[in-house]
């Protein structure tokens, strides 16, 4: 059984039982290839906010003694 025959069989079953129709064969191929060749960007680390910088300036940590 090829992909077209399987699609027709699945479409018939979906119509008979009131389910959603399956996607057509090859409909999402470009999307899959694009996802495989272009991975999602890495998340960047958040930059410190003005409030956190101000807190570190006002409350410095004591430096360890040598």
């Amino acid at each position: 059984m090829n992909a077209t025959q399987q699609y027709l069989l699945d479409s018939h079953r979906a119509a008979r039982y009131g389910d959603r129709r399956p996607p057509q064969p090859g409909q999402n191929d470009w999307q899959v290839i694009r996802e495989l060749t272009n991975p999602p960007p890495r998340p960047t680390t958040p930059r410190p906010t003005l409030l956190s910088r101000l807190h570190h300036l006002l409350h410095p940590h004591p430096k360890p003694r040598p």
Side-chain angles (χ1 to χ4, degrees):
M1 179 179 295
N2 64 23
T4 303
Q5 293 170 338
Q6 183 67 45
Y7 168 73
L8 291 174
L9 180 63
D10 290 341
S11 296
H12 172 71
R13 287 181 183 162
R16 186 171 182 176
Y17 295 114
D19 295 335
R20 288 186 340 169
R21 292 180 62 183
Q24 295 179 351
Q27 182 178 1
N28 299 324
D29 289 352
W30 285 110
Q31 181 180 359
V32 171
I33 291 172
R34 189 176 303 121
E35 289 175 0
L36 291 175
T37 57
N38 299 329
R42 288 183 280 164
T44 59
T45 57
R47 298 181 69 186
T49 62
L50 181 61
L51 187 61
S52 67
R53 289 180 185 176
L54 188 61
H55 176 78
H56 287 292
L57 286 174
L58 294 176
H59 305 285
H61 295 289
K63 294 183 181 179
R65 293 184 180 174

